[in-house]
Amino acid sequence: MTDRTGIFAGDCPFGIARRWLDEAGEAEINDPNAIALSTVDADGLPDARMVLLKEIEDDAFVFYTNYESAKAQEIDQAGKAAFVMHWKSLRRQIRVRGTVTREDGPQADAYFASRSLKSRLGAWASKQSRPLASRAALMAEVAKVTARHGTNPPRPSFWGGYRINPVQIEFWADGAFRLHDRFMWRRKEGGADWEITRLNP
Ligand SMILES: Cc1cc2nc3c(=O)[nH]c(=O)nc-3n(C[C@H](O)[C@H](O)[C@H](O)COP(=O)(O)O)c2cc1C
């Protein structure tokens, strides 16, 4: 086994990720749950953007977005994605690569319902990633969906979650003189078990 102690200790990578995110919540100025989500388009050209990680489950990471956005098309086509979270305050990062499925059931309904009314109406109004004539056109669309859906808009069918089931999770922490610590958790073939390897910085 490795000399995996301190912040790297634990039997479950999702537990470690939850712990690090909790610590980041105390230390970061804004959005400790921001992740840089990476996808590839049909030509294999990589793409990246920030989204907010909303749940760390027992076996997966969940975020929410518009199913007609560029990222959604890339994910639906490839079925795979990667992300990195970096906390400047902690000088740590977590990298994840995995397969992706939609979360568009009751869990997505419940999360949508938990958002502020303005955010829910905003989700209805935005044709995310498609051209927009002007800010005024967007505000007119917000007024239109507000008139249509009132104070209790349902979750749009074009908006929901994605669940990333990792095949790899890497935990990285800054070390003196660039001698950082890295631990790679890799799913063993076909199973629920992980192989853990310390990597060179
Ligand atoms: C800190 C931060 C958090 C964001 N969170 C989300 C999010 O949770 N969901 C989302 O769809 N877009 C989010 N965005 C906007 C995305 O970065 C992006 O602009 C948008 O989703 C369109 O991306 P796409 O055209 O590649 O699909 C966030 C942006 C920032 C800077």
Side-chain angles (χ1 to χ4, degrees), residues 51-199:
V51 296
L52 295 179
L53 183 65
K54 285 298 169 179
E55 281 133 53
I56 301 180
E57 300 178 332
D58 289 345
D59 205 23
F61 298 91
V62 181
F63 69 91
Y64 289 87
T65 194
N66 183 305
Y67 286 146
E68 293 169 1
S69 64
K71 78 181 83 51
Q73 289 179 32
E74 290 164 0
I75 288 169
D76 291 342
Q77 194 257 334
K80 296 169 190 152
F83 71 80
V84 60
M85 320 181 75
H86 170 232
W87 298 291
K88 291 183 172 65
S89 57
L90 301 179
R91 297 178 192 273
R92 293 184 211 167
Q93 71 174 340
I94 299 178
R95 296 168 63 182
V96 171
R97 304 171 77 198
T99 55
V100 189
T101 52
R102 285 189 180 192
E103 169 47 65
D104 56 2
Q107 195 172 323
D109 294 339
Y111 172 65
F112 186 77
S114 78
R115 305 175 86 216
S116 73
L117 178 60
K118 287 211 161 112
S119 300
R120 281 177 281 158
L121 291 166
W124 272 102
S126 171
K127 296 182 176 59
Q128 193 175 61
S129 312
R130 282 146 291 172
L132 175 63
S134 64
R135 182 87 198 167
L138 178 61
M139 297 327 283
E141 195 56 36
V142 171
K144 215 157 84 185
V145 298
T146 303
R148 193 183 314 145
H149 297 294
T151 54
N152 194 17
R155 179 176 63 83
S157 59
F158 58 79
W159 191 98
Y162 281 106
R163 175 171 284 112
I164 302 177
N165 284 102
V167 292
Q168 285 185 4
I169 308 181
E170 183 197 317
F171 296 91
W172 180 104
D174 184 74
F177 309 109
R178 301 285 187 267
L179 297 178
H180 317 298
D181 287 304
R182 301 176 64 187
F183 287 95
M184 170 68 86
W185 296 58
R186 265 198 201 90
R187 274 270 193 235
K188 287 188 182 160
E189 196 67 38
D193 293 341
W194 297 94
E195 178 185 73
I196 309 165
T197 314
R198 185 188 261 278
L199 300 178

